[in-house]
Amino acid sequence: MNQSNTVMMRLSGHQAPFPLTENTHAELQSYLAISRDSLTGDVDRDEIIRDIEASIGDHLAETYAGVINGEQMTTILSSIGPVVSGNPGVPALTTQRGHLPVRRLQEGKWLTGVLNGIAAARGLSVYWVRGIYVAISFLAGSLLAPLGEGYPMLIVFGVAIVAYLIATLVLAPVGTREEYILTESAT
Amino acid sequence: MEEDPSLAALRRGLLEVLALAAVENSPRYAAEIVAALRRTGFPAQEGTVYPLLNKLRRAGYVSHEWQESTSGPPRKYLQLTDKGTNRLAEFRTYWKELTKMIEQVGQ
């Protein structure tokens, strides 16, 4: 009943590679990639992923023999659960890139968490979002500069500030990254 | 047992302390800690516990030691440091204060 080829995958901490179906291999790679994303900025990221891999290997070795199929892998990955960074204030990515609704994320915010929340919802580094917000303001201001004596820059920054305030009123806050991911993730 | 989200949130806040308490009496490796938590009814998952254990190690509350195992790969055994022992004691004191708070507020 083997519709797909068997892939031999090495897992950290285990000498013998594990036989997986192609789909199972893809599922596991996806889980590990998402887990790595969740740990962006965590200094122990690589070590945690190695430990998680080793743990997956332990579960596989203890529970199943032969080629691991999708259902078996899903059981194990569900038991292990999503990897959640222990680090507050880390620009961690979400479990589903760009799929979370924007909230004002309080954990790691500078002002009211608007840009922090946008970064978390889209899976971007908050430093990029902040930098781009400011950079675009400057760019818009300087492009409009020929229209007046410094007024365009003031107007553009005024608009940027008002937009930020409106976002603060409109977006609902959420306390921690963990709470945000747990309550807003679609799966 | 039904999962009331507020109660679950309260319990989630305890995870750090429970992890320290799990290695209070003897060194344990990560999977053992997860199993110990589950045995007492806390629905622990490796995905949450492993990053937390690293955070505790970075904070200096636990230290680890590799030990060879006959039945598999070498394992990282975690134990409390002095700082970790103090932290746990601090928490237990605070827990008693919280309990008193709940009792006294209605009087």
Side-chain angles (χ1 to χ4, degrees):
Chain A
M1 220 182 71
N2 234 2
Q3 306 109 315
S4 45
N5 297 323
T6 300
V7 178
M8 301 301 284
M9 181 169 178
R10 290 218 117 79
L11 290 176
S12 185
H14 291 264
Q15 287 203 335
F18 291 86
L20 311 173
T21 64
E22 269 177 1
N23 293 339
T24 306
H25 178 246
E27 186 186 347
L28 181 52
Q29 294 287 50
S30 170
Y31 173 85
L32 291 172
I34 289 171
S35 301
R36 282 187 76 87
D37 271 356
S38 312
L39 295 173
T40 306
D42 191 324
V43 281
D44 293 322
R45 178 184 62 177
D46 293 334
E47 185 169 352
I48 294 169
I49 295 297
R50 275 198 302 273
D51 288 344
I52 295 280
E53 249 186 63
S55 173
I56 294 171
D58 287 342
H59 287 297
L60 289 175
E62 282 162 26
T63 324
Y64 305 116
V67 181
I68 311 296
N69 67 34
E71 200 181 300
Q72 294 167 335
M73 181 60 75
T74 303
T75 305
I76 286 179
L77 295 181
S78 308
S79 160
I80 291 180
V83 172
V84 176
S85 173
N87 252 346
V90 159
L93 302 182
T94 60
T95 52
Q96 289 182 16
R97 270 190 112 118
H99 286 247
L100 294 192
V102 180
R103 303 273 296 276
R104 282 191 289 119
L105 182 57
Q106 303 300 295
E107 186 186 345
K109 67 171 182 179
W110 278 2
L111 291 175
T112 66
V114 167
L115 299 185
N116 196 20
I118 291 171
R122 293 262 163 269
L124 305 167
S125 160
V126 62
Y127 301 107
W128 274 105
V129 175
R130 286 171 183 150
I132 287 171
Y133 194 67
V134 170
I136 288 180
S137 301
F138 271 109
L139 189 59
S142 60
L143 284 176
L144 295 173
L147 298 179
E149 299 265 338
Y151 288 118
M153 190 68 90
L154 280 177
I155 292 170
V156 164
F157 275 120
V159 168
I161 290 169
V162 169
Y164 188 87
L165 290 174
I166 292 175
T168 301
L169 292 172
V170 163
L171 297 176
V174 67
T176 65
R177 204 167 294 276
E178 186 182 337
E179 195 184 320
Y180 178 51
I181 290 175
L182 287 172
T183 57
E184 299 288 355
S185 271
T187 315
Chain B
M1 189 166 73
E2 271 152 34
E3 272 293 70
D4 180 331
S6 308
L7 295 182
L10 191 58
R11 184 182 57 202
R12 259 202 301 279
L14 278 188
L15 183 54
E16 187 172 323
V17 175
L18 292 176
L20 291 176
V23 292
E24 178 176 31
N25 292 322
S26 60
R28 279 174 159 158
Y29 60 92
E32 280 184 323
I33 294 172
V34 173
L37 289 168
R38 286 184 178 163
R39 265 200 311 273
T40 64
F42 189 105
Q45 291 190 305
E46 274 105 327
T48 322
V49 174
Y50 282 32
L52 173 67
L53 293 177
N54 273 279
K55 180 173 122 174
L56 293 176
R57 184 184 43 78
R58 264 200 317 281
Y61 298 137
V62 296
S63 60
H64 69 244
E65 211 173 67
W66 286 95
Q67 281 187 27
E68 297 291 327
S69 152
T70 45
S71 60
R75 293 188 166 122
K76 250 189 301 194
Y77 277 79
L78 291 127
Q79 60 203 358
L80 280 185
T81 59
D82 289 336
K83 194 172 172 190
T85 307
N86 290 339
R87 174 80 166 159
L88 193 50
E90 240 174 56
F91 184 81
R92 286 192 166 123
T93 307
Y94 187 59
W95 187 252
K96 291 198 183 108
E97 281 174 31
L98 292 177
T99 307
K100 250 199 297 184
M101 227 187 265
I102 299 176
E103 286 164 12
Q104 288 174 355
V105 76
Q107 288 164 10

